[in-house]
Amino acid sequence: MNNILIFSKYTWGEKNMKFEKLLKKLESDRINGVTYSPSEIDLIARDILSQINYYPEEGATPIVKIAKDFDFKTYKETLPDHLSGDIYINGDTKEEYNHEKVILVNKRDELFHQRFVVAHELAHYLFDFIGNPDYKDIHVKFSDTYHKNKHETPQEIRANRFAASILMPKDLFIKQYNYINSIDNNRVFVLTYLSRFFETSIDSIEKRILEVMA
């Protein structure tokens, strides 16, 4: 097991001042049965980026740092080929990882996909764990595994949308898409440029184009 980063201590119920307002809203929304449209998920991702003072010219979204700000330890681990990641909170997580909140990525996957998985699993924390009465007891373990070919449920679709939104912010994506097309609109060239700029896979870039350029 290879530790990517080690983070400060924070668990649900304690105060994380940076995201306190957002977490309270998500908890309230969960209790009241609020659902989010794709555009609302984009706004939540934008809010997180604004709170970490993210500047696009500094490079791709620092997704592992963002996970750190939500107090996750992120690890690379050898996982079965059909799995790309997992998230563990509470239960016996601290006994196994010496921390209450961890995100795992498959060490055999490409870096750009690992970044997407971290963002995807973070979404499960925000939308499926926060405010969920099933996990109010810290002895109850929360987990949500990233299966490479199983993304049909509303929860998985939402997590994928959040990951795309935070790694490829809509306004910046449109700006870069228009910029590179003005230079050369060859499809392979455009996709390669955007993939390197946002540090996401070609497949993620193609899906994001359909989401925001339609």
Side-chain angles (χ1 to χ4, degrees):
M1 181 171 64
N2 298 317
N3 190 2
I4 298 176
L5 285 176
I6 297 178
F7 307 137
S8 59
K9 183 175 181 179
Y10 169 71
T11 56
W12 182 32
E14 297 175 357
K15 287 191 175 181
N16 179 330
M17 298 305 294
K18 183 178 291 185
F19 299 114
E20 182 179 11
K21 183 177 179 180
L22 171 63
L23 292 175
K24 284 183 176 180
K25 179 182 184 304
L26 292 173
E27 182 175 357
S28 175
D29 286 350
R30 172 82 189 197
I31 292 171
N32 292 310
V34 174
T35 58
Y36 302 100
S37 68
S39 61
E40 288 170 330
I41 293 173
D42 285 343
L43 291 175
I44 291 171
R46 182 189 299 176
D47 179 39
I48 292 172
L49 291 172
S50 69
Q51 291 191 59
I52 67 164
N53 297 318
Y54 165 68
Y55 300 101
E57 61 271 17
E58 294 179 353
T61 298
I63 190 59
V64 175
K65 178 185 182 302
I66 291 172
K68 172 183 177 180
D69 287 341
F70 282 102
D71 193 46
F72 279 91
K73 285 186 178 181
T74 305
Y75 293 99
K76 291 182 180 180
E77 227 177 53
T78 301
L79 300 176
D81 289 341
H82 67 286
L83 301 180
S84 284
D86 211 333
I87 181 172
Y88 297 130
I89 304 173
N90 294 332
D92 63 357
T93 305
K94 187 172 183 179
E95 297 175 14
E96 186 171 358
Y97 295 95
N98 198 32
H99 197 74
E100 295 91 347
K101 296 160 64 177
V102 301
I103 291 174
L104 309 180
V105 297
N106 194 327
K107 64 188 301 182
R108 291 177 291 195
D109 286 345
E110 294 181 354
L111 173 62
F112 287 2
H113 184 57
Q114 291 174 350
R115 282 171 43 79
F116 189 91
V117 172
V118 173
H120 176 101
E121 296 297 349
L122 181 61
H124 284 306
Y125 166 69
L126 296 173
F127 301 112
D128 300 317
F129 174 79
I130 293 295
N132 190 331
D134 292 341
Y135 303 103
K136 195 71 173 180
D137 185 342
I138 63 172
H139 298 99
V140 178
K141 188 173 186 176
F142 174 83
S143 175
D144 201 302
T145 305
Y146 187 111
H147 292 263
K148 292 183 178 179
N149 298 311
K150 295 182 180 180
H151 294 272
E152 300 85 6
T153 67
Q155 292 84 0
E156 292 301 300
I157 293 171
R158 180 175 57 200
N160 281 341
R161 179 67 185 216
F162 174 83
S165 298
I166 202 162
L167 294 175
M168 298 167 280
K170 182 178 179 180
D171 292 344
L172 179 60
F173 190 89
I174 292 172
K175 178 181 178 180
Q176 289 299 317
Y177 178 86
N178 290 334
Y179 162 73
I180 199 61
N181 269 280
S182 71
I183 296 175
D184 187 338
N185 63 3
N186 175 274
R187 182 170 180 80
V188 174
F189 177 75
V190 169
L191 292 175
T192 301
Y193 169 83
L194 293 173
S195 175
R196 291 175 178 173
F197 184 92
F198 291 102
E199 296 186 9
T200 56
S201 69
I202 294 290
D203 182 58
S204 293
I205 293 296
E206 290 180 313
K207 291 178 181 177
R208 192 60 169 159
I209 290 172
L210 295 176
E211 288 175 351
V212 304
M213 300 305 299

